Amino acid sequence: MRKKAIIFDLDGTAVDSPIHNLPSERLVRAVVALQKDYWMCAATGRGWSCGKDVLRALRLKDPCVIAAGTQICNPQTGEILWQKNMDAADAKRVIEIFREYPESHMLCNDYSLDDYLSKNFRVKDYVFPETVFFLELIDLPENVVQVIAEKIRKIEGLACIAPIGQHNSAHRDIHVINVDATKEQAIAEILKMMGVERNNTVGIGDGGNDIHLFNAVGKRVAIGNAIEKLKGLADLVIRSVQDDGLAEYFESLS
C-alpha cells in the first residue's frame, strides 16, 4: 500500500513551456517507475482541456489538481472528482473589474491550449456563464496586474494569483479563484482521498503560485529555474527544467 505522495507543478517544472509542451521521455520513465511506491499527482494552473495532453503523456493515474486548485480530476479520463466554485456575487464583482479593461484577453473555467496561446477571447466580447470557478486575464504588464490584483484582493471570498505569463516573460497572467480553492486546499483534499499524511508528501514547483503547493506538503523542492522566493522556502533546490531536473530528482528516489 502506497503511503507517500509526490505532487508537482507542470509548467516550468515538468515541462519547459511554451518551448516544449510535452514531458521528456526520461521524465515519463521516472514517473512510471515511482508509481508503485508513491502516489504521483500533478498540481497545475491549467484547466483540463489545456492540460490533458501533458497529464496523459506523463501516464499519471492518481488524482491531479487542475485549474489553479479549483478542481481535482482523473488525469486519464478528465472526470472531475472535486470542484470549488466562486460565490456568484463575488464572480459578478470580478467580471465588473475585468470589464474596466475591455480589450484585455481572458479565459473562463475550462479552455484549450490554443485558446490560451492564441488569446482568442477579449473581455468586451465574452458572455460569462452562470457558474464560474476560474477566471483569468492574460499577458498583462506588471503595473496593470498590480492595479487589478489590488482591486480583486479587496473581495473577501477570492484569491488572486499572478503567475508569469507564457507569452512574454516580462508580463503576467491573473488567476482569480475561490479563496478556498488554491493548490493548498486542493492538495489537502487529494491527501484525504488517498489517505496520505502531510508529512509523507513532497511538493515540487517553480512559481509564485507554488507557494500554496509548498504550504500543503511535508518536503518542499524547488526546480533550479524557480523564482528566488520559492527557492528561499525550499528544503532542496534541484536542477532546472531545461536540464530535466525533475526527472533526475525522481530517478534519485527510485
Side-chain angles (χ1 to χ4, degrees), residues 2-243:
R2 295 176 293 173
K3 296 183 178 180
K4 297 181 180 181
I6 297 173
I7 303 159
F8 57 95
D9 179 48
L10 293 184
D11 296 293
T13 301
V15 292
D16 187 18
S17 59
I19 300 168
H20 301 293
N21 192 46
L22 291 177
S24 69
E25 292 182 6
R26 180 185 179 187
L27 177 57
V28 174
R29 289 194 300 269
V31 168
V32 171
L34 288 176
Q35 284 176 332
K36 66 180 184 297
D37 296 317
Y38 294 86
W39 296 88
M40 299 294 288
C41 311
T44 179
R46 298 191 190 205
W48 169 249
S49 294
C50 184
K52 62 184 178 181
D53 289 346
V54 183
L55 296 173
R56 287 171 172 167
L58 285 164
R59 296 169 63 182
L60 294 172
K61 302 175 182 178
D62 302 319
C64 291
V65 175
I66 59 173
T70 61
Q71 293 180 316
I72 296 170
C73 75
N74 177 314
Q76 291 299 313
T77 67
E79 178 188 0
I80 301 303
L81 308 175
W82 177 89
Q83 178 173 304
K84 191 74 171 179
N85 298 329
M86 290 186 202
D87 178 82
D90 290 343
K92 183 178 179 180
R93 290 176 67 185
V94 176
I95 291 166
E96 289 172 354
I97 293 169
F98 277 20
R99 284 178 172 153
E100 295 174 16
Y101 304 85
E103 297 299 325
S104 295
H105 300 276
M106 62 153 293
L107 298 166
C108 178
N109 293 346
D110 195 29
Y111 56 88
S112 71
L113 183 61
D114 183 66
D115 289 335
Y116 177 80
L117 294 177
S118 301
K119 299 193 285 190
N120 287 335
F121 304 108
R122 290 185 186 273
V123 172
K124 66 178 182 180
D125 303 319
Y126 199 82
V127 178
F128 291 87
E130 289 187 11
T131 299
V132 175
F133 57 86
F134 178 87
L135 286 166
E136 179 174 6
L137 287 178
I138 303 170
D139 195 28
L140 298 170
E142 182 71 33
N143 63 320
V144 176
V145 168
Q146 294 300 327
V147 172
I148 296 173
E150 184 176 351
K151 292 178 180 180
I152 292 171
R153 286 172 180 149
K154 291 178 181 178
I155 304 173
E156 188 173 340
L158 299 178
C160 180
I161 302 164
I164 295 172
Q166 300 296 320
H167 297 87
N168 181 336
S169 61
H171 285 192
R172 291 184 178 272
D173 299 337
I174 293 180
H175 297 174
V176 186
I177 55 180
N178 188 302
V179 72
D180 294 322
T182 67
K183 287 185 180 182
E184 181 175 356
Q185 286 88 359
I187 290 169
E189 291 293 330
I190 277 184
L191 297 185
K192 289 179 189 176
M193 292 178 185
M194 300 186 302
V196 175
E197 297 292 331
R198 181 178 179 274
N199 61 350
N200 287 328
T201 59
V202 178
I204 307 127
D206 73 298
N209 58 339
D210 293 318
I211 293 171
H212 293 287
L213 188 160
F214 273 17
N215 289 342
V217 299
K219 183 175 181 179
R220 305 168 176 183
V221 179
I223 198 90
N225 49 281
I227 62 171
E228 290 304 316
K229 184 174 182 179
L230 200 71
K231 288 181 180 178
L233 296 171
D235 301 303
L236 174 68
V237 178
I238 59 177
R239 296 179 72 186
S240 72
V241 66
Q242 293 85 3
D243 295 323

